[in-house]
Amino acid sequence: RGFSSQSEGEARVSRILREKFPRASSIRVVDISGGCGAMYEIHIESEDFREKRTVQQHQMVNQALSEEIKSMHGLRIFTSTPK
Amino acid sequence: MSRVVRAAWRLGFAAARGPVGRPLSQAATGAAEGGGAAEGGGGGGGGGSGSREAVERLVRAHPVVVFMKGSPEQPLCGFSNAVVQILRLHGVEDYNAHDVLQDPDLRQGIKNYSNWPTIPQVYLNGEFVGGCDILLQMHQNGDLVEELKKLGIRSALLDAEKDQDKK
């Protein structure tokens, strides 16, 4: 996203993820609904995901954002573990 | 963003969905659906089609079961369409597809059952595998071919590769 500042929604979702995944080595949240907060794309890399199936990793992110998700139309999740 | 604008956005979505069966632009309908507010809250699936027992029956009825928006012939959401296309690439055309737009109880019930907030949802052999992003990943890393093999389904991509080797 270059040098543009984060939207309020992106900042809030990022903050929640940082709190729920303190071990995360990388967190990136992008509003893909044109800034409307309706849909986000989440990229998160953390040791917490090691040895877990992808659906379990995504489930962890779902739980962390369960309140936020209620007001979203959708979200895309991309999880990974540090190399 | 102001509450007024956000409310207008939600109304826009609701209006854009329209009656089921009318093709809607995928940009308008957006994608994998979110959880509560726009859908009138997340109460239990209630009795009937959204109950745990009813959903259990559906996911076990066939090796490949998909809960989506629209139908395989006419998906009404970009992410649901992606699932249909990926399955088609693997030659999987025989599966049970359930249009959650036709059944609000099922729509909520399936989310409760899998504890997963979005549609589409893919079940292989009665087990929740994931949504569109996960299916795409499985397609890209070869896992989908393996999972289909376990179900006794031979992916069409295996035959496609063979043809290429012959040349």
Side-chain angles (χ1 to χ4, degrees), chain B residues 48-62 65 67 106 109-110 113 123 125-127:
Chain B
S49 55
S51 71
R52 204 151 186 94
E53 298 77 29
V55 171
E56 184 91 26
R57 268 197 300 277
L58 292 180
V59 306
R60 292 196 191 290
H62 196 283
V65 180
F67 297 85
L106 178 62
I110 191 64
Y113 181 84
Y123 290 75
N125 225 25
E127 195 186 321

Side-chain angles (χ1 to χ4, degrees), chain A residues 8 12 33 35-39 53-55 58-59 62-63 69-78, chain B residues 1 9-10 13 17 29 31-37 79 114-118 127-129 133-134 137:
Chain A
E8 238 182 76
R12 188 175 61 248
S33 62
C36 290
M39 196 174 310
R53 283 187 297 144
T54 309
V55 66
H58 286 208
Q59 197 66 293
N62 284 341
Q63 309 293 7
I69 286 175
K70 285 179 190 164
S71 54
M72 291 178 196
H73 188 72
L75 79 166
R76 309 202 61 179
I77 300 174
F78 299 90
Chain B
M1 140 172 308
W9 170 263
R10 281 212 201 103
F13 265 91
R17 282 196 191 121
T29 47
E33 91 175 359
F79 292 171
S114 57
N115 193 25
W116 187 268
T118 50
E127 195 186 321
F128 177 59
V129 157
D133 291 338
I134 290 177
Q137 196 175 316

Side-chain angles (χ1 to χ4, degrees), chain A residues 20-21 28 30 32-33 40 45 55-56 58 60 71 77:
Chain A
K20 299 276 170 79
F21 294 97
R28 188 164 70 95
V30 185
I32 55 176
S33 62
Y40 291 95
E45 181 188 86
V55 66
Q56 291 173 294
H58 286 208
M60 291 167 71
S71 54
I77 300 174

